[in-house]
Short mmCIF file of all heavy atoms in Angstrom, two decimals:
data_model
loop_
_atom_site.label_atom_id
_atom_site.label_comp_id
_atom_site.label_asym_id
_atom_site.label_seq_id
_atom_site.Cartn_x
_atom_site.Cartn_y
_atom_site.Cartn_z
N ILE A 154 -43.74 20.16 -1.98
CA ILE A 154 -42.65 20.40 -2.94
C ILE A 154 -43.22 20.67 -4.33
O ILE A 154 -42.77 21.60 -5.02
CB ILE A 154 -41.70 19.18 -2.96
CG1 ILE A 154 -40.93 19.09 -1.64
CG2 ILE A 154 -40.73 19.25 -4.15
CD1 ILE A 154 -40.19 17.78 -1.44
N ARG A 155 -44.21 19.89 -4.74
CA ARG A 155 -44.80 20.08 -6.07
C ARG A 155 -45.51 21.44 -6.17
O ARG A 155 -45.39 22.14 -7.19
CB ARG A 155 -45.78 18.95 -6.36
CG ARG A 155 -45.13 17.58 -6.40
CD ARG A 155 -46.12 16.46 -6.60
NE ARG A 155 -46.50 16.32 -8.01
CZ ARG A 155 -47.34 15.40 -8.45
NH1 ARG A 155 -47.91 14.55 -7.61
NH2 ARG A 155 -47.62 15.31 -9.73
N GLU A 156 -46.23 21.81 -5.13
CA GLU A 156 -46.93 23.09 -5.13
C GLU A 156 -45.93 24.26 -5.15
O GLU A 156 -46.14 25.26 -5.85
CB GLU A 156 -47.84 23.20 -3.91
CG GLU A 156 -49.05 22.28 -3.96
CD GLU A 156 -49.85 22.31 -2.67
OE1 GLU A 156 -49.37 22.94 -1.69
OE2 GLU A 156 -50.93 21.69 -2.63
N THR A 157 -44.86 24.13 -4.39
CA THR A 157 -43.84 25.18 -4.36
C THR A 157 -43.18 25.32 -5.73
O THR A 157 -42.92 26.44 -6.20
CB THR A 157 -42.78 24.86 -3.29
OG1 THR A 157 -43.41 24.70 -2.03
CG2 THR A 157 -41.74 25.97 -3.19
N ALA A 158 -42.90 24.20 -6.37
CA ALA A 158 -42.31 24.24 -7.71
C ALA A 158 -43.26 24.90 -8.70
O ALA A 158 -42.84 25.72 -9.53
CB ALA A 158 -41.97 22.82 -8.17
N ALA A 159 -44.54 24.56 -8.62
CA ALA A 159 -45.53 25.15 -9.54
C ALA A 159 -45.62 26.66 -9.35
O ALA A 159 -45.67 27.42 -10.33
CB ALA A 159 -46.89 24.50 -9.32
N ARG A 160 -45.62 27.11 -8.10
CA ARG A 160 -45.68 28.56 -7.83
C ARG A 160 -44.44 29.28 -8.37
O ARG A 160 -44.52 30.44 -8.76
CB ARG A 160 -45.82 28.81 -6.33
CG ARG A 160 -47.19 28.49 -5.76
CD ARG A 160 -47.37 29.13 -4.39
NE ARG A 160 -46.39 28.61 -3.43
CZ ARG A 160 -46.58 27.54 -2.66
NH1 ARG A 160 -47.73 26.87 -2.75
NH2 ARG A 160 -45.65 27.14 -1.82
N ALA A 161 -43.32 28.57 -8.39
CA ALA A 161 -42.08 29.16 -8.88
C ALA A 161 -41.94 29.06 -10.40
O ALA A 161 -40.94 29.50 -10.96
CB ALA A 161 -40.88 28.49 -8.21
N GLY A 162 -42.95 28.49 -11.05
CA GLY A 162 -42.91 28.36 -12.50
C GLY A 162 -42.03 27.23 -13.00
O GLY A 162 -41.63 27.20 -14.17
N ILE A 163 -41.72 26.28 -12.11
CA ILE A 163 -40.89 25.14 -12.48
C ILE A 163 -41.79 24.02 -12.99
O ILE A 163 -42.63 23.52 -12.25
CB ILE A 163 -40.05 24.66 -11.27
CG1 ILE A 163 -39.10 25.79 -10.84
CG2 ILE A 163 -39.29 23.39 -11.60
CD1 ILE A 163 -38.47 25.57 -9.49
N LYS A 164 -41.64 23.63 -14.23
CA LYS A 164 -42.56 22.68 -14.85
C LYS A 164 -42.13 21.23 -14.63
O LYS A 164 -42.96 20.33 -14.72
CB LYS A 164 -42.69 22.98 -16.34
CG LYS A 164 -43.21 24.39 -16.63
CD LYS A 164 -43.58 24.56 -18.08
CE LYS A 164 -43.99 25.99 -18.40
NZ LYS A 164 -44.97 26.54 -17.47
N ARG A 165 -40.87 20.99 -14.38
CA ARG A 165 -40.39 19.61 -14.21
C ARG A 165 -40.83 19.06 -12.85
O ARG A 165 -41.06 19.81 -11.90
CB ARG A 165 -38.87 19.54 -14.32
CG ARG A 165 -38.14 20.31 -13.23
CD ARG A 165 -36.64 20.26 -13.43
NE ARG A 165 -36.09 18.95 -13.12
CZ ARG A 165 -35.38 18.68 -12.02
NH1 ARG A 165 -35.16 19.62 -11.11
NH2 ARG A 165 -34.92 17.48 -11.82
N GLU A 166 -40.97 17.74 -12.80
CA GLU A 166 -41.25 17.07 -11.53
C GLU A 166 -39.92 16.72 -10.88
O GLU A 166 -39.10 16.03 -11.48
CB GLU A 166 -42.08 15.80 -11.77
CG GLU A 166 -43.47 16.06 -12.32
CD GLU A 166 -44.44 16.56 -11.27
OE1 GLU A 166 -44.05 16.66 -10.09
OE2 GLU A 166 -45.59 16.86 -11.63
N ILE A 167 -39.69 17.20 -9.68
CA ILE A 167 -38.43 16.95 -8.99
C ILE A 167 -38.48 15.56 -8.36
O ILE A 167 -39.36 15.27 -7.56
CB ILE A 167 -38.17 18.02 -7.92
CG1 ILE A 167 -38.09 19.40 -8.57
CG2 ILE A 167 -36.88 17.70 -7.14
CD1 ILE A 167 -37.98 20.55 -7.57
N PRO A 168 -37.54 14.68 -8.70
CA PRO A 168 -37.53 13.34 -8.10
C PRO A 168 -37.36 13.40 -6.59
O PRO A 168 -36.66 14.27 -6.06
CB PRO A 168 -36.33 12.66 -8.77
CG PRO A 168 -36.12 13.41 -10.05
CD PRO A 168 -36.49 14.83 -9.73
N ILE A 169 -37.99 12.44 -5.91
CA ILE A 169 -37.94 12.36 -4.45
C ILE A 169 -37.26 11.06 -4.04
O ILE A 169 -37.58 9.99 -4.55
CB ILE A 169 -39.35 12.41 -3.84
CG1 ILE A 169 -40.08 13.70 -4.25
CG2 ILE A 169 -39.29 12.28 -2.32
CD1 ILE A 169 -39.44 14.98 -3.78
N HIS A 170 -36.32 11.17 -3.09
CA HIS A 170 -35.69 10.01 -2.49
C HIS A 170 -36.16 9.91 -1.05
O HIS A 170 -36.06 10.88 -0.29
CB HIS A 170 -34.17 10.14 -2.53
CG HIS A 170 -33.60 10.16 -3.92
ND1 HIS A 170 -32.25 10.05 -4.17
CD2 HIS A 170 -34.20 10.24 -5.13
CE1 HIS A 170 -32.04 10.08 -5.48
NE2 HIS A 170 -33.21 10.21 -6.08
N ALA A 171 -36.69 8.77 -0.68
CA ALA A 171 -37.27 8.58 0.65
C ALA A 171 -36.40 7.64 1.47
O ALA A 171 -36.08 6.54 1.03
CB ALA A 171 -38.68 8.02 0.54
N LEU A 172 -36.05 8.10 2.66
CA LEU A 172 -35.23 7.28 3.56
C LEU A 172 -36.11 6.34 4.37
O LEU A 172 -37.03 6.78 5.07
CB LEU A 172 -34.45 8.19 4.51
CG LEU A 172 -32.96 8.37 4.19
CD1 LEU A 172 -32.40 9.56 4.93
CD2 LEU A 172 -32.21 7.11 4.58
N ILE A 173 -35.82 5.06 4.28
CA ILE A 173 -36.52 4.05 5.07
C ILE A 173 -35.60 3.68 6.22
O ILE A 173 -34.65 2.89 6.06
CB ILE A 173 -36.86 2.81 4.21
CG1 ILE A 173 -37.59 3.23 2.93
CG2 ILE A 173 -37.68 1.81 5.01
CD1 ILE A 173 -38.90 3.94 3.13
N GLU A 174 -35.85 4.25 7.39
CA GLU A 174 -34.95 4.04 8.53
C GLU A 174 -35.71 3.95 9.85
O GLU A 174 -35.10 3.98 10.91
CB GLU A 174 -33.91 5.17 8.59
CG GLU A 174 -34.51 6.56 8.59
CD GLU A 174 -33.47 7.67 8.46
OE1 GLU A 174 -32.28 7.42 8.74
OE2 GLU A 174 -33.86 8.78 8.07
N THR A 175 -37.03 3.85 9.77
CA THR A 175 -37.85 3.71 10.98
C THR A 175 -38.76 2.49 10.83
O THR A 175 -39.00 2.00 9.73
CB THR A 175 -38.72 4.96 11.20
OG1 THR A 175 -39.71 5.03 10.16
CG2 THR A 175 -37.89 6.24 11.21
N HIS A 176 -39.27 2.03 11.96
CA HIS A 176 -40.21 0.91 11.92
C HIS A 176 -41.46 1.28 11.12
O HIS A 176 -42.00 0.47 10.36
CB HIS A 176 -40.62 0.51 13.34
CG HIS A 176 -39.48 -0.01 14.16
ND1 HIS A 176 -38.78 -1.15 13.84
CD2 HIS A 176 -38.91 0.47 15.30
CE1 HIS A 176 -37.83 -1.36 14.74
NE2 HIS A 176 -37.89 -0.39 15.63
N GLY A 177 -41.93 2.51 11.28
CA GLY A 177 -43.13 2.95 10.57
C GLY A 177 -42.94 2.95 9.08
O GLY A 177 -43.81 2.50 8.32
N ALA A 178 -41.78 3.45 8.63
CA ALA A 178 -41.52 3.50 7.20
C ALA A 178 -41.39 2.09 6.62
O ALA A 178 -41.89 1.81 5.53
CB ALA A 178 -40.24 4.29 6.93
N LEU A 179 -40.74 1.21 7.34
CA LEU A 179 -40.62 -0.17 6.85
C LEU A 179 -42.00 -0.83 6.76
O LEU A 179 -42.28 -1.55 5.80
CB LEU A 179 -39.70 -0.98 7.76
CG LEU A 179 -39.43 -2.42 7.31
CD1 LEU A 179 -38.73 -2.45 5.96
CD2 LEU A 179 -38.60 -3.17 8.35
N HIS A 180 -42.85 -0.58 7.73
CA HIS A 180 -44.19 -1.15 7.74
C HIS A 180 -45.01 -0.68 6.54
O HIS A 180 -45.82 -1.43 6.00
CB HIS A 180 -44.90 -0.78 9.05
CG HIS A 180 -46.28 -1.36 9.17
ND1 HIS A 180 -46.52 -2.71 9.32
CD2 HIS A 180 -47.50 -0.76 9.16
CE1 HIS A 180 -47.83 -2.92 9.39
NE2 HIS A 180 -48.44 -1.75 9.29
N GLU A 181 -44.78 0.57 6.12
CA GLU A 181 -45.55 1.15 5.01
C GLU A 181 -44.72 1.31 3.74
O GLU A 181 -45.06 2.12 2.88
CB GLU A 181 -46.13 2.51 5.45
CG GLU A 181 -47.08 2.41 6.64
CD GLU A 181 -47.78 3.72 6.96
OE1 GLU A 181 -47.71 4.67 6.14
OE2 GLU A 181 -48.41 3.80 8.03
N VAL A 182 -43.65 0.54 3.61
CA VAL A 182 -42.71 0.76 2.52
C VAL A 182 -43.36 0.58 1.15
O VAL A 182 -43.02 1.30 0.19
CB VAL A 182 -41.46 -0.13 2.68
CG1 VAL A 182 -41.80 -1.61 2.51
CG2 VAL A 182 -40.37 0.29 1.72
N TRP A 183 -44.30 -0.34 1.00
CA TRP A 183 -44.94 -0.52 -0.31
C TRP A 183 -45.82 0.68 -0.66
O TRP A 183 -45.86 1.10 -1.82
CB TRP A 183 -45.75 -1.82 -0.32
CG TRP A 183 -44.87 -3.02 -0.42
CD1 TRP A 183 -44.16 -3.60 0.59
CD2 TRP A 183 -44.58 -3.77 -1.60
NE1 TRP A 183 -43.44 -4.67 0.11
CE2 TRP A 183 -43.68 -4.80 -1.22
CE3 TRP A 183 -45.00 -3.68 -2.91
CZ2 TRP A 183 -43.19 -5.73 -2.14
CZ3 TRP A 183 -44.52 -4.61 -3.83
CH2 TRP A 183 -43.62 -5.61 -3.44
N GLU A 184 -46.49 1.22 0.33
CA GLU A 184 -47.29 2.43 0.09
C GLU A 184 -46.39 3.61 -0.24
O GLU A 184 -46.70 4.42 -1.12
CB GLU A 184 -48.14 2.73 1.33
CG GLU A 184 -49.13 3.87 1.14
CD GLU A 184 -50.01 4.09 2.36
OE1 GLU A 184 -50.00 3.24 3.28
OE2 GLU A 184 -50.71 5.13 2.39
N ILE A 185 -45.27 3.71 0.45
CA ILE A 185 -44.32 4.79 0.19
C ILE A 185 -43.77 4.70 -1.23
O ILE A 185 -43.66 5.70 -1.94
CB ILE A 185 -43.18 4.74 1.23
CG1 ILE A 185 -43.69 5.21 2.59
CG2 ILE A 185 -41.98 5.59 0.79
CD1 ILE A 185 -42.73 4.98 3.74
N ALA A 186 -43.44 3.50 -1.66
CA ALA A 186 -42.85 3.30 -2.99
C ALA A 186 -43.82 3.69 -4.10
O ALA A 186 -43.38 3.99 -5.22
CB ALA A 186 -42.42 1.85 -3.16
N ARG A 187 -45.12 3.69 -3.81
CA ARG A 187 -46.12 4.03 -4.84
C ARG A 187 -46.43 5.53 -4.90
O ARG A 187 -47.19 5.96 -5.78
CB ARG A 187 -47.42 3.26 -4.57
CG ARG A 187 -47.33 1.77 -4.87
CD ARG A 187 -48.70 1.12 -4.88
NE ARG A 187 -49.29 1.09 -3.54
CZ ARG A 187 -49.18 0.08 -2.69
NH1 ARG A 187 -48.47 -0.99 -3.03
NH2 ARG A 187 -49.75 0.12 -1.51
N LEU A 188 -45.89 6.32 -4.00
CA LEU A 188 -46.19 7.75 -3.99
C LEU A 188 -45.63 8.44 -5.24
O LEU A 188 -44.64 7.99 -5.81
CB LEU A 188 -45.62 8.41 -2.73
CG LEU A 188 -46.29 8.03 -1.41
CD1 LEU A 188 -45.54 8.64 -0.23
CD2 LEU A 188 -47.76 8.50 -1.39
N PRO A 189 -46.24 9.55 -5.66
CA PRO A 189 -45.76 10.24 -6.87
C PRO A 189 -44.34 10.77 -6.69
O PRO A 189 -43.95 11.19 -5.59
CB PRO A 189 -46.76 11.38 -7.05
CG PRO A 189 -47.38 11.58 -5.71
CD PRO A 189 -47.40 10.23 -5.07
N ASN A 190 -43.58 10.72 -7.79
CA ASN A 190 -42.25 11.31 -7.88
C ASN A 190 -41.17 10.54 -7.12
O ASN A 190 -40.02 10.97 -7.08
CB ASN A 190 -42.23 12.78 -7.43
CG ASN A 190 -43.04 13.68 -8.32
OD1 ASN A 190 -43.83 13.21 -9.14
ND2 ASN A 190 -42.89 14.98 -8.16
N ILE A 191 -41.53 9.43 -6.47
CA ILE A 191 -40.51 8.66 -5.76
C ILE A 191 -39.59 8.00 -6.79
O ILE A 191 -40.03 7.27 -7.66
CB ILE A 191 -41.14 7.57 -4.86
CG1 ILE A 191 -41.94 8.22 -3.73
CG2 ILE A 191 -40.04 6.67 -4.28
CD1 ILE A 191 -41.12 8.92 -2.69
N GLN A 192 -38.30 8.28 -6.67
CA GLN A 192 -37.31 7.71 -7.57
C GLN A 192 -36.41 6.70 -6.88
O GLN A 192 -35.98 5.72 -7.48
CB GLN A 192 -36.43 8.83 -8.15
CG GLN A 192 -35.37 8.37 -9.13
CD GLN A 192 -34.40 9.47 -9.49
OE1 GLN A 192 -33.60 9.91 -8.68
NE2 GLN A 192 -34.51 9.96 -10.72
N VAL A 193 -36.14 6.92 -5.58
CA VAL A 193 -35.22 6.07 -4.83
C VAL A 193 -35.78 5.81 -3.43
O VAL A 193 -36.35 6.72 -2.80
CB VAL A 193 -33.83 6.75 -4.71
CG1 VAL A 193 -32.92 5.97 -3.73
CG2 VAL A 193 -33.15 6.86 -6.07
N LEU A 194 -35.63 4.57 -2.97
CA LEU A 194 -35.82 4.23 -1.56
C LEU A 194 -34.44 3.98 -0.96
O LEU A 194 -33.73 3.08 -1.40
CB LEU A 194 -36.69 2.99 -1.39
CG LEU A 194 -38.17 3.07 -1.79
CD1 LEU A 194 -38.87 1.77 -1.42
CD2 LEU A 194 -38.87 4.25 -1.12
N ASP A 195 -34.06 4.81 0.00
CA ASP A 195 -32.77 4.68 0.68
C ASP A 195 -32.97 3.92 1.99
O ASP A 195 -33.83 4.30 2.80
CB ASP A 195 -32.20 6.06 1.01
CG ASP A 195 -31.90 6.89 -0.22
OD1 ASP A 195 -31.08 6.44 -1.03
OD2 ASP A 195 -32.46 7.99 -0.36
#
Side-chain angles (χ1 to χ4, degrees):
I154 291 168
R155 298 176 80 179
E156 290 174 352
T157 304
R160 287 196 298 270
I163 297 167
K164 301 191 185 311
R165 64 183 288 254
E166 295 283 357
I167 300 174
I169 302 297
H170 296 191
L172 256 164
I173 308 299
E174 53 188 340
T175 68
H176 296 297
L179 183 62
H180 182 68
E181 299 187 11
V182 67
W183 285 79
E184 186 177 349
I185 288 170
R187 288 192 292 267
L188 290 175
N190 295 14
I191 295 290
Q192 181 189 70
V193 171
L194 293 185
D195 297 300

